[in-house]
Amino acid sequence: MRRLLSLVINVPKTIRTMWRNASSFTCKPTPVLLCTSSLQGDHIFNGTTTHSSKKKALLSDPQLFDAQFDELVTELSEGDITDPALADALNRLREVLVYNSPGGKRNRGLSVIASLRELLPPAQLTEDTVRRALLVGWCIELLQAFFLVADDMMDGSVTRRGQPCWYKKNGIGMDAINDSFLLEGSIYRLLRRHCRDQPYYVHLLELFTETTFQTELGQALDLMTAPPGQIDLSRFTMERYKAIVKYKTAFYSFYLPVAAAMHIAGIESEEELNNAKLILLEMGEFFQIQDDYLDCYGDPAVTGKIGTDIQDNKCSWLVVKALETMTAEQRAELEACYARHDDASVEKVKALYDTLQMPTLYQKYEDESYQRLQKLIACHAKNLPHSVFLNFAKKIYKRNK
């Protein structure tokens, strides 16, 4: 009895020792991470454990994902480059990573491992495979952080994820341009260190570089459609809007995570990749329309940011849709108030949206979009698990942030 009591008392110490000795981002097996109660969500392996207590479960994917971040930051800022002359720059890298990478919904990053669990049988989901999938997910989150730091500067945004935009912090300013480059560069250091010996390494490099280029082209279209100080609502067409959305948002937010999981799973069929792309780009279009709607009608306390699309002269779905239905008098009022930074003008535009029943039109579009997505999955995902796409859909449809 005394021996049994000693074992029970020392369980937390044993777990702490296992965690402390864990080798982060190496090819060595990750120790089994236990918790004292069952957890919701997917788990490494099959959600089961060989531990004698059936009540103990392995950490969920979101928990493993979050735990990996501190290791990733330490690796990039302390263990990756050891030249003492770079100490200040590496400290800055740590600060940039910690401030800008976590804090979001993590849907993009977690979708890599979530998709991989649907694509591979449990027996093939080794610890190394799961760990690399989580790492690739963080690389997508770093890509997102890179885009957001730069985008907030271009848009003159004030808040992001419930805190001041990075460039708005004291002492940062335009130096945030180089900080965004640090975030992008970190992606390829991590991929090289942890995926270089994998057969899908080159595919991941090409996927990330191509997606980055596509997103930057979309951003260029966005900036050119509404240049600062030039208000021309005739540029705001649905054709231009869809092109901006496809390249600026859909590729990196939806296709990238699933395509990365497909490469990790060894799926290289161009037909299957293209079928997945067709479905995911459609989903990405809805996501951006939803984002535009929340920019105007969302609660900043929930979304974590103050919407500025009206002030910033954005070619958003709301203004494009409004232009399709409004009268000549309403258009004149919109032209007089859109892209103005005074509160009165912004409120007049919002009132005009209400008059045109934009919330009702949006709800109708959301329902139609979901039905259209179901048909696309049925037609084009014949050789891929439908759950890959439906899991994504569950995260975004009817969201409020």
Side-chain angles (χ1 to χ4, degrees), residues 10-22 31:
N10 287 322
V11 164
K13 180 179 179 181
T14 303
I15 295 173
R16 287 196 301 270
T17 302
M18 293 167 64
W19 178 255
R20 191 164 50 243
N21 294 336

Side-chain angles (χ1 to χ4, degrees), residues 323-336:
L323 285 166
E324 290 180 348
T325 59
M326 63 178 47
T327 65
E329 292 78 11
Q330 289 171 329
R331 185 184 180 102
E333 182 179 2
L334 181 66
E335 289 177 339

Side-chain angles (χ1 to χ4, degrees), residues 83-104:
D83 187 345
L86 290 174
D88 288 344
L90 291 172
N91 285 335
R92 175 59 168 250
L93 172 59
R94 170 182 284 276
E95 187 181 359
V96 172
L97 288 166
V98 170
Y99 193 90
N100 294 289
S101 303

Side-chain angles (χ1 to χ4, degrees), residues 163-183:
Q163 61 185 1
C165 296
W166 175 245
Y167 82 100
K168 284 288 188 180
K169 280 177 60 69
N170 290 336
I172 304 299
M174 293 299 105
D175 291 353
I177 295 173
N178 191 66
D179 293 333
S180 71
F181 298 158
L182 289 175
L183 290 165

